[in-house]
Every structure is written in structure tokens, then in C-alpha cells.
Amino acid sequence: MAPLKTKPVDDFRIPSLAEASPEYAGLVEKRQELSDRYRELSGERSKLSGDIEAEKAAGGQRLSPGVAALLGDAPDKLTLMSQRMREVATSMDNIEAAQEVIRRRMDEARNGASKVVCDTMRQEYQRRLGAVCAAAKALAGAREEHDALLDDIEREDVNLAYLRPVRAHFLGDRRDGKIGYFLKECAENGHNV
């Protein structure tokens, strides 16, 4: 039996989940926007933290906005930076909560998008699975011919040691081995191969 020739992989391209579902694509985009904004806020928080520490070290005093207004003073730099730090922290908390919602929505949208992708590639999958099954059947047939020859030689009471035979034990039992199980599993999963 001639070795099977492998066909070069054609240009079959599996669509991404984002290509298959506008909903999923929108969620991916929103997730990226939130991630970018979170990184910006994180950088701002680090800078503010350093600026606040430097201002405190320089002897800056903090007056609450209400006290500063009563005194007729403008809010001090330290107070303004502390207010902004709270705003940044609140925004980061909100983004983290939104990211969790996006993650859950993406998990839900993934199923719908996956169905679209699988429907799109079903015919190509069937073709490739069919090729595997055909090769498995050919291997099962070749194995049966091989084992039948060894059986015939043994029936003649020939010492097989001089032939140094090799049996395909990796395929499992001759009658109901791994190839049969594989083909049965394909049929049970609705593949007509």
C-alpha cells in the first residue's frame, strides 16, 4: 500500500469570534477601551501619590474645601490632589466592576459567536474528518491483511521468529479496537463518515 500523500493545507480560514458576532466584537472593543482607560488612571494615580507625598514632605497643609471657603482662601494644592486621587480611585473601582460585567457578557456572547463559527466551518470539518476516517478504515483493512498473513503462516506451524514480525498492538484489539471505537464515536456524534 502506498503511503498517503498529504495535501498542503489550503487557504481555509476560521473566522474569529469577533468576525462572527457584532455583539462579541462590540464587547471586545469595550473591554479594550476600559483597559486603556484603567491604565491611564493607574498612571495618574501613581503620579498623584508621588506628588501628594512630595507636597506633604514640603510642609503643605491641607484645608478642607469648606474651611478654605470660610477663610476666603483658595483650596490648597494638597487638598485638590487628594480630591483628584479619590476621583481616580472611584473611577478605577467603577472600571473594575464594568470589566467584570463585560467578562460575563463576553462569556455569554461567546456561545452564540461560536455557533456561527462552527456553522461556517461545518462542511470543511466534515471533509477533513471524512479523510481521517477513510485513512482509519484503510489502516484497519491493511492491519487485517497483515494479521491474516501472520495467522496463515502460524497455521502452517512456521517459526515466526525468522520473520521478526511486528504486530500493530497500538491499534487495540483486532475485532473491536481503537479504530472501531473512533469510527463508532464519529457516528454517535452525528458525523456521517
Side-chain angles (χ1 to χ4, degrees), residues 149-186:
L149 176 64
L150 292 177
D151 292 345
D152 291 344
I153 294 171
E154 285 178 330
R155 266 192 290 282
E156 294 299 323
D157 198 28
V158 173
N159 182 350
L160 286 177
Y162 294 102
L163 189 56
R164 298 176 52 190
V166 178
R167 296 195 187 259
H169 295 293
F170 71 96
L171 295 174
D173 184 66
R174 282 173 71 177
R175 307 288 178 242
D176 191 28
K178 294 180 180 181
I179 292 176
Y181 178 79
F182 170 73
L183 296 172
K184 179 181 170 194
E185 186 178 4
C186 290

Side-chain angles (χ1 to χ4, degrees), residues 63-129:
L63 293 176
S64 71
V67 171
L70 289 172
L71 296 174
D73 294 346
D76 63 87
K77 187 175 181 181
L78 189 57
T79 299
L80 293 175
M81 286 189 292
S82 295
Q83 283 178 332
R84 180 61 189 153
M85 180 72 114
R86 283 189 296 278
E87 292 169 3
V88 167
T90 299
S91 293
M92 290 176 75
D93 288 344
N94 290 338
I95 289 173
E96 288 172 0
Q99 286 173 325
E100 179 59 27
V101 171
I102 291 286
R103 187 195 60 74
R104 284 194 309 267
R105 288 180 181 175
M106 285 181 74
D107 285 347
E108 293 169 8
R110 178 179 172 263
N111 289 331
S114 293
K115 183 181 181 326
V116 171
V117 170
C118 288
D119 288 346
T120 300
M121 60 180 289
R122 187 170 313 283
Q123 186 175 358
E124 179 65 13
Y125 177 74
Q126 287 286 47
R127 183 185 73 75
R128 292 186 187 191
L129 180 62

